[in-house]
Amino acid sequence: MNKPVLLTGLQSSGELHIGNYFGAIKPFVDLYEAYDSYLMVADYHALTSLKDPEAVRKNIVEVVKDYLASGVDPKKAIIFKQSTVPAHTELAWIFDCLVSVPFLMQGHAYKDKVAKGLEANAGLFTYPMLMAADILLYDTDVVPVGEDQRQHVEYAREAAVKFNNTYGELFKEPKEKILSGVGVVPGTDGKKMSKSYKNTVPLFGTKDELAKAVMSIVTDSSGDRPENVYAIHKLVRDETELTSIYGSNQGNYKALKEMLIEDLDRYLAPMREKRASITSADVAAVLEDGGRQARAVSEAKMEKVRKAVGVA
Ligand code: TYM
């Protein structure tokens, strides 16, 4: 009778971009009604990079508005904030005690930060075990994410196996769902779209902000078409139509960018309009309700975990 479980989460570390949307939110929205679905705000994960309490508070509300505006019905999915469900950090600790330091040192996200000379705090180091707890507490089957999270879902599977081998079978091994074509949405410079590269197209920006981002797309004249423009364009317009449009506008990058601005705006405007009608009170009610439901499910699981490890 039980449906399979779908869960994903996004860090509330700043404005979401279209890479977040096409890589994770849209795949979640397309699937979630057929599952028991959870959509989390990873606010404790955001603390690895964000130290401004006002920004932390604001971003949480903004991300929930983004979820609702993207078409997630809070009656059909449990939308909740990680920090209001204590089981997440509690289970993360238990996983921390099962995995080795060299194992965590393989983490791409951690290695990247170290390589860039950014602060590699201990939270960033153990980050994958908090994410494993996020996923495993709900017996998740499927995790829609972008390519950059593949390793983290693998880590969640490893944590499940390590726990099950040590204490007995309690956790299900989840699978990532990474859709081809959107696993790595490129930014305005052709590299992976990412806040830290400052190459993003905002998901809920005004038309002017979209235009500014599109006009900054780096074009090179070596091929038949400006690949960085095309790569974003194909997210919002059919590729057969694009083939003829790009064919008849060869070399006319300005016209192609202007068309991309119009097509992006047409695609995103309905969500932007919907978002404008969502209030902070709506968000508070959704988080309250979602938190209560997530706590009920995760607490039942934690009781079994505490017994299994011997603290209860
Ligand atoms: P985060 O907040 O960095 O990114 C949120 C989601 O957006 C996807 N994404 C992209 N997809 C395609 N192309 C891009 N350029 C792009 N940029 C970002 C990410 O892959 C991700 O799916 N650790 C996670 C948050 C998290 C989580 C979880 C996810 C915490 N707990 C449990 C799933 C399940 C993260 O930092 O994502």
Side-chain angles (χ1 to χ4, degrees):
M1 280 302 282
N2 281 353
K3 288 182 189 170
V5 176
L6 186 77
L7 179 143
T8 198
L10 286 85
Q11 287 193 65
S12 46
S13 51
E15 238 184 29
L16 297 191
H17 52 72
I18 63 168
N20 298 129
Y21 177 76
F22 287 102
I25 299 180
K26 186 170 184 295
F28 178 90
V29 171
D30 290 345
L31 290 172
Y32 85 109
E33 292 187 56
Y35 290 76
D36 275 338
S37 295
Y38 296 83
L39 184 55
M40 191 186 75
V41 180
D43 55 345
Y44 270 162
H45 276 122
L47 291 188
T48 58
S49 61
L50 204 59
K51 317 290 180 200
D52 171 358
E54 274 318 308
V56 169
R57 208 166 284 125
K58 179 169 176 286
N59 287 346
I60 292 167
V61 177
E62 299 298 319
V63 169
V64 177
K65 285 188 180 177
D66 295 348
Y67 288 170
L68 298 173
S70 302
V72 183
D73 179 348
K75 292 194 188 67
K76 296 184 185 157
I78 297 178
I79 299 179
F80 71 101
K81 187 166 78 165
Q82 189 181 37
S83 63
T84 57
V85 186
H88 290 241
T89 43
E90 187 179 354
L91 182 58
W93 175 256
I94 293 171
F95 289 151
D96 282 345
C97 296
L98 281 170
V99 297
S100 71
V101 169
F103 172 73
L104 289 178
M105 267 175 17
Q106 306 299 319
H108 299 318
Y110 178 73
K111 281 200 286 195
D112 284 355
K113 294 252 168 154
V114 176
K116 283 190 202 133
L118 298 172
E119 182 198 59
N121 55 53
L124 193 68
F125 185 62
T126 58
Y127 181 118
M129 292 303 105
L130 179 56
M131 179 156 160
D134 300 337
I135 296 169
L136 299 179
L137 272 171
Y138 302 93
D139 293 330
T140 302
D141 296 284
V142 179
V143 187
V145 281
E147 185 62 45
D148 61 356
Q149 298 298 316
R150 181 188 292 280
Q151 190 195 31
H152 285 155
V153 183
E154 278 165 19
Y155 269 29
R157 281 199 291 276
E158 288 282 337
V161 168
K162 286 210 158 78
F163 186 100
N164 292 345
N165 288 343
T166 310
Y167 296 115
E169 203 71 27
L170 201 56
F171 289 114
K172 221 177 198 179
E173 289 181 50
K175 286 211 166 49
E176 65 279 2
K177 177 107 190 161
I178 301 172
L179 298 184
S180 67
V182 291
V184 187
V185 172
T188 53
D189 56 358
K191 285 195 284 188
K192 188 193 101 169
M193 188 175 291
S194 164
K195 269 179 296 244
S196 48
Y197 300 153
K198 300 197 175 12
N199 63 356
T200 59
V201 176
L203 178 55
F204 289 102
T206 60
K207 190 170 180 186
D208 282 352
E209 285 164 344
L210 287 177
K212 197 168 162 229
V214 169
M215 285 306 172
S216 77
I217 295 176
V218 179
T219 47
D220 83 59
S221 47
S222 57
D224 283 347
R225 64 180 187 204
E227 291 302 334
N228 295 341
V229 182
Y230 187 84
I232 296 177
H233 217 154
K234 73 180 170 58
L235 299 168
V236 292
R237 187 143 179 187
D238 186 77
E239 284 205 69
T240 33
E241 284 175 33
L242 286 183
T243 308
S244 86
I245 291 171
Y246 279 66
S248 53
N249 283 281
Q250 270 193 29
N252 193 351
Y253 296 168
K254 185 160 177 287
L256 290 169
K257 283 183 171 181
E258 278 163 1
M259 273 184 257
L260 173 56
I261 294 167
E262 292 305 320
D263 288 338
L264 265 174
D265 191 58
R266 193 173 313 118
Y267 190 98
L268 298 174
M271 293 197 291
R272 192 165 65 214
E273 279 155 28
K274 182 168 182 193
R275 194 180 188 285
S277 69
I278 302 166
T279 65
S280 301
D282 297 333
V283 170
V286 164
L287 288 180
E288 164 94 42
D289 192 43
R292 196 174 31 73
Q293 296 184 66
R295 278 193 296 278
V297 176
S298 60
E299 189 45 39
K301 190 78 176 179
M302 269 323 285
E303 279 179 22
K304 293 184 188 153
V305 172
R306 291 186 204 107
K307 279 206 186 87
V309 304
V311 297

